[in-house]
Amino acid sequence: MKKSFTILIVFLIFVTSFSQNKFGKAEVDPVQIQKSYTDWSAYQSKNIMLSRDFTALDFSSKEISKESFLDQLANGNFIPIRLKSEADIYVYKLFKILPKTDTSIKATINQIGFDAYKNYKMEGTAFPQFSFKDLDGNLVTNESMKGKIIVIKCWYIHCTPCIREFPQVNKLVEEYKDRKDIVFMSLAEDSAEQLKTFLARKPLSYSVIPDMKEYMNNALQLNSFPTHFILNKEGMIAKVLPNFESLEVALAKESKM
């Protein structure tokens, strides 16, 4: 009996060691990173991109689905940390939030997890029916956009993060200017008059569709801005993204399909 128990212990140690070797160690100290909201926030924004494809591990290093991982971030007591790996391989693991950790870290993670989970569940679904006129009077509908990849930016004039990324998204439009199968359009809450005045000072290379507050609230149920959508050529939602950085990565992948 003792021999069998010893063999079992050795086997469990081997499995644990193999799992750690397979996935690598945390790229930052899970305890140290929780000591400062500023340090954690800087790490989170730079190193954790929940919209990308990644291998998800729970607290015990067990591989789980992305959906389960995001659900635990939204409703649990965990922080996500990337494990050391090659540059193009992404493995995120959940680590417990310590009792003395700033409560604002947990609250922020829960909100990030909630938004990421909601966005993930929209992927693979049909984008709601639309028939919009942009500021130049051009009509765009689901039917007219079939066979094209559509990049949609949802924003409003007084959203500072939305405006801050204008130079980056404008550069993205320039990068794909020769791709006639990729269309960039934006939905804005504000009126046509307000937008024309604002965009004269802060140009946006997307086509701009005014008065979209009700549509974004009801049809898209957005509660975070900016939000970016990538629709595939069949009109299905390929990705829902919270910022330019994740948009750039996702569009590069979708444009090659």
Side-chain angles (χ1 to χ4, degrees):
M1 183 71 176
K2 286 184 178 180
K3 185 177 180 181
S4 298
F5 181 74
T6 302
I7 291 173
L8 177 61
I9 294 297
V10 171
F11 174 75
L12 290 174
I13 292 173
F14 171 78
V15 169
T16 302
S17 175
F18 176 79
S19 175
Q20 290 175 345
N21 290 336
K22 177 182 177 183
F23 294 114
K25 296 180 180 180
E27 64 179 4
V28 295
D29 185 335
V31 175
Q32 192 66 31
I33 200 66
Q34 298 184 47
K35 291 186 176 181
S36 160
Y37 181 90
T38 302
D39 291 346
W40 165 78
S41 181
Y43 171 78
Q44 169 76 29
S45 61
K46 183 178 179 182
N47 297 74
I48 304 297
M49 192 181 294
L50 297 173
S51 58
R52 72 159 71 247
D53 297 326
F54 60 87
T55 298
L57 304 180
D58 68 8
F59 177 71
S60 64
S61 295
K62 176 186 175 183
E63 198 166 337
I64 56 176
S65 68
K66 181 176 180 179
E67 181 176 356
S68 176
F69 185 92
L70 296 177
D71 180 60
Q72 290 186 57
L73 277 186
N75 300 296
N77 193 46
F78 301 101
I79 63 170
I81 291 178
R82 185 182 175 188
L83 303 189
K84 292 180 180 178
S85 58
E86 296 177 23
D88 59 344
I89 296 175
Y90 296 86
V91 181
Y92 296 158
K93 179 180 173 180
L94 297 173
F95 288 85
K96 286 186 178 178
I97 296 177
L98 303 175
K100 293 184 179 181
T101 295
D102 186 339
T103 55
S104 58
I105 290 180
K106 180 181 185 303
T108 306
I109 288 175
N110 287 157
Q111 185 60 54
I112 290 171
F114 174 83
D115 291 339
Y117 182 83
K118 177 175 173 287
N119 291 348
Y120 175 75
K121 294 295 285 183
M122 293 180 74
E123 293 173 10
T125 65
F127 194 78
Q129 287 292 314
F130 62 86
S131 179
F132 306 140
K133 269 192 177 181
D134 66 19
L135 290 177
D136 296 321
N138 300 310
L139 180 67
V140 289
T141 67
N142 299 75
E143 290 301 316
S144 68
M145 291 292 106
K146 273 190 176 179
K148 297 181 183 294
I149 295 171
I150 310 175
V151 182
I152 302 173
K153 173 182 169 73
C154 299
W155 66 288
Y156 58 95
I157 285 174
H158 297 294
C159 168
T160 300
C162 301
I163 310 309
R164 189 186 301 127
E165 64 179 20
F166 270 24
Q168 294 167 302
V169 296
N170 287 343
K171 187 176 178 182
L172 197 65
V173 175
E174 178 66 20
E175 182 181 339
Y176 288 93
K177 66 180 180 181
D178 295 327
R179 288 288 301 265
K180 304 305 180 187
D181 61 332
I182 300 179
V183 175
F184 294 86
M185 69 180 189
S186 72
L187 310 183
E189 289 189 355
D190 316 277
S191 70
E193 292 75 14
Q194 290 172 315
L195 287 165
K196 287 176 181 177
T197 300
F198 180 81
L199 293 171
R201 296 184 291 105
K202 296 277 188 179
L204 177 62
S205 297
Y206 286 44
S207 64
V208 179
I209 299 161
D211 299 313
M212 286 289 103
K213 184 173 183 177
E214 184 177 340
Y215 181 86
M216 290 191 285
N217 286 346
N218 297 333
L220 301 180
Q221 297 186 339
L222 296 186
N223 55 16
S224 179
F225 295 88
T227 294
H228 303 269
F229 290 86
I230 298 178
L231 312 187
N232 64 23
K233 294 183 178 182
E234 287 72 48
M236 308 297 285
I237 299 173
K239 282 290 182 183
V240 187
L241 310 145
N243 51 43
F244 166 78
E245 289 76 16
S246 54
L247 170 63
E248 184 179 34
V249 170
L251 183 56
K253 182 177 179 180
E254 186 68 27
S255 66
K256 294 174 183 175
M257 290 183 177

